[in-house]
Amino acid sequence: MPDSHDDVPIHWPDAAWKRHFRRQILDWFDRHARDLPWRRSPTLYHVWISEVMLQQTRVVTVIPYFQRFVAALPDVAALAAADEQQVLRLWEGLGYYRRARQLHAAAKKIVADHGGQFPTDIEQVRALPGIGRYTAGAILSIATGARHPILEANTVRVFSRLIAYRDDPSRSAGQKLLWQLAEELLPNSRVDAFNQALMELGSEICWPREPNCAACPVAKLCPTRELGLQDRIPIAKRRTQYEDVHEAAIVVRRGSAVLLRRCQPGERWAGLWDFPRFAVSNGNGDDAPAPSRPTVDHVEQTDLAHRTRELTGITVSLGEQLATFKHGVTRFRITLTCWEAQRQAGRIRGSELVWQPVHELDHMPLSTTGRKIAKLLQRPR
């Protein structure tokens, strides 16, 4: 049995507890499992796509993306043959775009190394781009019933509470302990339903705050509930320290077309297209924006025109402000002011810039705010 921690011992389950737990959670899942599109056809491909999409994203958000993605790219071969721009356009809005590029790269590797068939060996799956221990185990256990444990955000919380684990579960010792528990709890059969039940329990009942213990099928087996420590187990993550950022986006027009720039490797939204944008200063010669209020109003239009020319090679005359958007990306809280401009002179340089007709913007994979600007431009005047 693992060691105790703090003043509350770890409640490591015995064989009878494990049998009871498996029976209870599987019975509950049989009655309450959600009808999700990837569960209707749990092929290796469908489970893989869904698991990658579900990373750090809510199920309700993923459903329409999954349906659109597999309709357009129904198998590994289609995904491997697709242009990256199509993959990013289908992914647009889900965020974490590196996942889409890794998915695309993995499909190409499957075609090249495995004859287009998704591998069923756990080490071969883990060797694919973007797939770690959890994702590999989830794909194979759900799609094939293979006996692999899983550990992700929801099950970390469930397992921590099931053994009253008081230390940080994200640290090495906590991860090792919870992986051990996940492996010991696995049933000999119905592993696919069991692992999905664990994730379902975490997402639908065992919430981070105020878990719905009254509806929990294993509440009587939970020492955390018995001790009243739901608000302390698992240890809360440190709050993110957000940084305020102020940016300008320039809609440069040339007839019925607008200028787009493809974000480069290392930049936010790498691979996607966006309107020329850059950070703006507080208008006092300081690159850091004043924290008390949005700063774009203080930026001289001549400076915006100069920055646009530096970024694109195009000389513009700046027009009116179109809109201001506020959004968050990782640890940044961004205030983006969008300006309209007309091309006066110059030619675009490099393949990262393109003139795109406004009515064809729907075909381009855009950043989140880029899509908002595009919709604004497409409104009838």
Side-chain angles (χ1 to χ4, degrees):
M1 177 185 296
D3 295 334
S4 300
H5 293 264
D6 290 340
D7 56 335
V8 179
I10 290 176
H11 291 244
W12 199 257
D14 58 22
W17 187 101
K18 293 173 189 174
R19 287 194 298 271
H20 191 189
F21 177 83
R22 296 181 191 116
R23 183 172 60 252
Q24 290 293 105
I25 197 169
L26 283 169
D27 287 347
W28 169 78
F29 188 68
D30 287 340
R31 296 192 306 271
H32 298 286
R34 287 173 290 178
D35 179 21
L36 302 175
W38 46 90
R39 288 179 178 168
R40 299 171 200 158
S41 177
T43 64
L44 283 161
Y45 181 71
H46 284 179
V47 175
W48 171 41
I49 300 301
S50 68
E51 284 298 326
V52 175
M53 286 186 170
L54 286 165
Q55 294 170 11
Q56 298 174 284
T57 310
R58 298 175 61 217
V59 168
V60 67
T61 301
V62 165
I63 289 174
Y65 281 93
F66 172 84
Q67 292 172 320
R68 183 177 64 169
F69 195 96
V70 299
L73 305 173
D75 53 35
V76 172
L79 174 56
D83 183 81
E84 182 183 272
Q85 294 294 287
Q86 181 187 11
V87 177
L88 290 173
R89 181 66 183 93
L90 290 167
W91 198 273
E92 184 188 309
L94 270 178
Y96 304 99
Y97 292 96
R98 185 176 67 171
R99 294 180 299 173
R101 291 190 291 274
Q102 289 175 332
L103 201 71
H104 196 205
K108 292 181 178 181
K109 184 175 177 65
I110 292 169
V111 169
D113 297 348
H114 304 287
Q117 299 299 311
F118 196 96
T120 55
D121 176 81
I122 188 73
E123 294 306 321
Q124 290 180 341
V125 176
R126 290 187 66 177
L128 296 173
I131 297 183
R133 182 179 181 183
Y134 155 70
T135 305
I139 293 168
L140 295 181
S141 65
I142 294 171
T144 72
R147 203 168 178 271
H148 296 296
I150 60 169
L151 189 67
E152 44 76 60
N154 287 310
T155 51
V156 163
R157 185 167 57 255
V158 169
F159 290 154
S160 295
R161 286 171 173 165
L162 286 174
I163 61 173
Y165 186 63
R166 294 286 301 276
D167 282 355
D168 186 349
S170 67
R171 300 182 68 176
S172 178
Q175 287 287 295
K176 181 178 179 180
L177 184 69
L178 296 183
W179 274 111
Q180 178 185 344
L181 177 61
E183 191 154 5
E184 290 189 15
L185 287 179
L186 282 176
N188 291 321
S189 61
R190 299 197 68 197
V191 177
D192 54 339
F194 182 80
N195 279 345
Q196 290 181 89
L198 288 173
M199 292 186 284
E200 195 104 321
L201 182 69
S203 64
E204 297 300 293
I205 289 179
C206 195
W207 304 317
R209 297 181 181 178
E210 300 181 5
N212 187 8
C213 296
C216 179
V218 292
K220 293 181 179 179
L221 300 175
C222 181
T224 296
R225 181 198 63 83
E226 183 178 352
L227 295 166
L229 296 175
Q230 297 95 318
D231 62 335
R232 298 171 62 186
I233 297 176
I235 292 175
K237 295 181 180 179
R238 292 182 179 179
R239 287 190 173 185
T240 302
Q241 297 296 315
Y242 291 100
E243 180 181 343
D244 290 325
V245 175
H246 303 276
E247 298 179 345
I250 313 299
V251 176
V252 183
R253 293 184 180 272
R254 189 188 70 173
S256 61
V258 291
L259 184 61
L260 295 180
R261 177 181 178 272
R262 182 154 48 190
C263 302
Q264 299 300 292
E267 296 180 350
R268 191 192 311 146
W269 303 309
L272 275 71
W273 296 86
D274 195 13
F275 295 90
R277 79 157 69 195
F278 35 78
V280 295
S281 67
N282 63 13
N284 295 316
D286 187 352
D287 288 337
S292 60
R293 55 173 295 179
T295 60
V296 175
D297 291 341
H298 298 285
V299 179
E300 294 292 339
Q301 292 193 10
T302 53
D303 182 58
L304 292 176
H306 174 70
R307 297 284 297 279
T308 302
R309 186 173 64 254
E310 284 186 330
L311 187 64
T312 68
I314 300 297
T315 300
V316 302
S317 60
L318 215 66
E320 299 295 321
Q321 286 189 22
L322 287 175
T324 297
F325 303 101
K326 292 181 181 291
H327 65 114
V329 178
T330 61
R331 63 183 181 86
F332 300 103
R333 291 185 297 202
I334 302 170
T335 299
L336 175 69
T337 300
C338 178
W339 295 74
E340 195 155 28
Q342 287 289 334
R343 172 188 174 276
Q344 296 296 308
R347 294 183 178 181
I348 57 176
R349 53 185 181 228
S351 59
E352 75 275 10
L353 293 164
V354 65
W355 291 106
Q356 186 74 4
V358 171
H359 70 276
E360 293 183 3
L361 288 174
D362 287 343
H363 304 308
M364 306 289 284
L366 300 176
S367 68
T368 300
T369 46
R371 181 61 60 197
K372 290 181 179 179
I373 296 169
K375 289 181 178 179
L376 190 66
L377 299 178
Q378 291 170 330
R379 290 177 185 173
R381 294 196 172 188

